[in-house]
Amino acid sequence: VTISLEERRLRWLAGQFARPTGWTGRWLIAPWLNRIGRAMNRLTLEQLDLQPGDRVLEVGFGGGELIELMLAFSPAAIEGVDVSPAILARAGRRFAGEGRVRLQLASAETLPLPDAAVDKACSVNSLYFWPDPVRGLAELARVVRPGGRLVLTFEPPEELRKWAGHRFGFRPFEVGEVAGLMEQAGFTDIRPIWGTGRKPDVFCALSGERSGDNG
Ligand SMILES: C[S@@+](CC[C@H](N)C(=O)[O-])C[C@H]1O[C@@H](n2cnc3c(N)ncnc32)[C@H](O)[C@@H]1O
């Protein structure tokens, strides 16, 4: 079986979107992700409703544009986790000297934070790549304090499938499925807010409140 050049290109690009690597990931893909994610980041920011003094977590922060936007809202702390060393290296440099930002190499399902560590958490265009979304959501429920907020922003399957590269490692999620995962993990009052842009044309920010206590 021969793999066409186009298929190779798509596979490579899909791999870079899922986990940017090396110099290409750091200098080419990361800024590109910022452009693709611009409208999604803005919708996420609105839904987070950040207040001065909030502690907030972003899972899969990529080029770091949302972290930059969040800093303008005077948070007490921004925690970021990402699985890509290239992304960590880039963002480490970008936010060097910013004492409120702490970035760590970690995956969604093993968050290196204590229980109820943050008031708010978010993740944009990253869920498709998590090896275990159920555990990832359970971890988010553990680290968001009761009464706190989670915002997950992603492209619905019909939008994701417009790009042929989605076949290589993207797991599409229906909005109802993500809402179910959030509910199962301990979030309530789950609301979808739809956003529009250009590539992606349509996306959804699902927000929910962490219910009860963290016990
Ligand atoms: C398509 S990029 C999106 C980046 C950014 N949120 C944006 O919208 O521009 C996906 C990001 O999620 C990260 N990622 C993938 N799997 C992850 C996981 N299991 N846990 C945490 N981050 C992950 C990747 O390294 C990458 O930075």
Side-chain angles (χ1 to χ4, degrees):
V1 181
T2 54
I3 301 174
S4 72
L5 259 184
E6 176 57 6
E7 183 168 331
R8 251 189 244 183
R9 191 185 69 86
L10 287 172
R11 263 184 207 278
W12 177 82
L13 209 49
Q16 283 286 348
F17 286 160
R19 186 183 292 221
T21 53
W23 288 94
T24 320
R26 184 166 169 180
W27 298 108
L28 185 80
I29 302 294
W32 192 5
L33 288 172
N34 280 341
R35 279 204 300 283
I36 298 172
R38 188 156 293 157
M40 298 178 82
N41 283 333
R42 278 166 209 277
L43 182 65
T44 308
L45 187 67
E46 270 172 39
Q47 296 310 308
L48 278 172
D49 188 27
L50 287 186
Q51 303 298 318
D54 272 351
R55 300 159 301 162
V56 54
L57 161 70
E58 181 175 8
V59 176
F61 53 81
E65 193 203 51
L66 183 52
I67 293 178
E68 188 81 59
L69 295 172
M70 292 195 291
L71 276 170
F73 288 77
S74 307
I78 298 180
E79 303 280 353
V81 302
D82 201 293
V83 288
S84 159
I87 282 298
L88 250 292
R90 182 186 173 92
R93 198 170 138 154
R94 181 170 180 178
F95 298 107
E98 175 45 82
R100 292 171 296 172
V101 177
R102 183 170 61 150
L103 305 175
Q104 303 190 69
L105 188 69
S107 186
E109 70 283 356
T110 48
L111 295 175
L113 296 174
D115 296 356
V118 295
D119 303 292
K120 292 169 181 169
C122 61
S123 186
V124 181
N125 255 340
S126 179
L127 175 66
Y128 335 108
F129 314 116
W130 297 0
D132 187 342
V134 173
R135 269 193 66 191
L137 264 299
E139 273 293 84
L140 282 161
R142 181 181 68 74
V143 303
V144 174
R145 70 158 168 83
R149 174 155 294 275
L150 169 67
V151 182
L152 291 181
T153 306
F154 55 97
E155 298 177 31
E158 59 277 17
E159 187 64 31
L160 212 53
R161 289 189 185 117
K162 286 184 185 169
W163 182 56
H166 81 272
R167 292 174 287 143
F168 306 112
F170 286 60
R171 174 171 165 198
F173 283 91
E174 296 291 348
V175 171
E177 189 181 356
V178 181
L181 289 172
M182 284 173 68
E183 195 173 0
Q184 191 188 330
F187 293 91
T188 56
D189 193 22
I190 296 161
R191 297 176 200 194
I193 304 288
W194 291 90
T196 54
R198 206 183 142 263
K199 289 188 178 181
D201 303 334
V202 180
F203 43 86
C204 181
L206 263 181
S207 72
E209 187 182 308
R210 175 71 175 100
S211 58
D213 54 39
N214 283 47

